[in-house]
Amino acid sequence: MSRPRIGLELWTVRTDVNRDLLGALSRVAELGYESVEFYSTYLDWTLDFAREVRARLDAVGLACSSTHNGMRAFTPDAMRKTIDLNHVLGSPFAVVASVPKIETIEGWREATERFADVAERLRPSGLAAGFHNHQREWTLLDGQLPIDVVADGTPSDFVMQIDVAPAVEFGIDVPAWIRTHPGRVRSLHGRDWSATRGPNLAFGEGDCPWREIIVAAGATSDLRDVLVENGHSTPDEEWDIAARSIANWRAL
């Protein structure tokens, strides 16, 4: 088992990313992060700007672990640009970050068919598709977990990017889930959660059993990145949370 990279989902420091992306990337590298994940507005960039971003990543020693996308990124009109942007950035995974509200298991099966189609269309370009969960994927519908429907209905190279906090919040044994889906968890979102303090925490400050989770993913899958994420902080908390998170990673 090799050590995964410690990365930052850039939504964690969204205030400065939206104001000065290139400067924010330099600051992320200074904290010691090794990779970053871009969120869905990257799709609005020009290819020339994406090349500027890649040059900054290379200059400061950061890799692009993946991109987060709405389904708009995979429409016939947008697919070519999605592929080109991910190639420029060096991203191996184009992850579906969220979908509109789905209230039935049949609705999840239909969504999963779309995810599988995305995977088929990305594969010839050397990109893997993936899916990032929220709370609702861990809520039983007709006796089934939507996350299981997605995992069971997508090809083996489709990345199940587990956002750990919602799973722990809903009482899921995350290491056990990972072990029963070998090869699928090549990316983790390092978002923490506490039963007493909620989700506005740094990585390593809540109830998530990180060591066990990371060992399970590393032992059963090619775990590439653990991506710190916090989307609940105020603007003045963002960088402090990013700094505390990587300090806790080093301690782990």
Side-chain angles (χ1 to χ4, degrees):
M1 167 180 170
S2 61
R3 184 184 70 84
R5 296 178 297 199
I6 182 65
L8 188 68
E9 161 48 60
L10 289 171
W11 186 251
T12 307
V13 290
R14 55 201 170 279
T15 300
D16 279 358
V17 166
N18 291 337
R19 183 164 48 204
D20 176 15
L21 172 58
L22 300 182
L25 291 174
S26 295
R27 190 170 178 182
V28 169
E30 288 168 4
L31 287 177
Y33 285 96
E34 299 167 293
S35 63
V36 293
E37 181 177 67
F38 293 96
Y39 50 88
S40 60
T41 53
Y42 86 96
L43 193 62
D44 299 324
W45 300 349
T46 64
L47 286 176
D48 284 343
F49 182 67
R51 293 184 186 100
E52 287 186 54
V53 173
R54 175 61 184 270
R56 180 59 58 94
L57 292 174
D58 291 345
V60 300
L62 287 171
C64 175
S65 67
S66 43
T67 59
H68 260 201
N69 303 269
M71 289 302 287
R72 73 177 181 122
F74 308 115
T75 62
D77 289 343
M79 180 65 84
R80 183 70 256 165
K81 186 177 182 183
T82 297
I83 291 169
D84 289 345
L85 287 170
N86 278 268
H87 280 167
V88 169
L89 294 171
S91 165
F93 306 144
V95 178
V96 178
S98 64
V99 292
K101 187 175 182 179
I102 300 173
E103 297 182 331
T104 66
I105 280 295
E106 185 56 37
W108 279 106
R109 291 193 186 100
E110 292 172 359
T112 298
E113 290 177 2
R114 295 197 294 273
F115 302 156
D117 177 66
V118 169
E120 294 295 330
R121 289 187 287 138
L122 288 179
R123 191 177 296 114
S125 299
L127 292 173
F131 180 74
H132 168 270
N133 66 266
H134 296 85
Q135 284 87 347
R136 59 186 173 172
E137 288 84 356
W138 304 103
T139 303
L140 284 171
L141 285 175
D142 297 330
Q144 292 184 267
L145 289 177
I147 195 74
D148 290 338
V149 173
V150 176
D152 294 343
T154 48
S156 61
D157 62 348
F158 186 86
V159 179
M160 299 301 297
Q161 185 188 66
I162 299 302
D163 188 344
V164 172
V168 171
E169 180 182 357
F170 277 72
I172 302 298
D173 183 340
V174 178
W177 193 93
I178 290 170
R179 286 192 295 269
T180 60
H181 296 84
R184 303 301 299 276
V185 183
R186 289 183 280 163
S187 176
L188 281 171
H189 261 217
R191 185 154 64 105
D192 221 324
W193 178 83
S194 165
T196 57
R197 292 177 291 153
N200 191 18
L201 304 167
F203 170 91
E205 295 181 357
D207 300 340
C208 298
W210 290 112
R211 186 180 300 277
E212 293 83 355
I213 290 168
I214 292 164
V215 167
T220 62
S221 303
D222 177 21
L223 178 62
R224 307 277 188 88
D225 297 88
V226 176
L227 297 161
V228 166
E229 180 191 16
N230 182 302
H232 302 274
S233 57
T234 61
D236 61 329
E237 294 174 317
E238 292 172 5
W239 286 105
D240 180 59
I241 284 172
R244 295 199 327 260
S245 293
I246 195 166
N248 293 335
W249 167 264
R250 289 168 175 151
L252 179 71

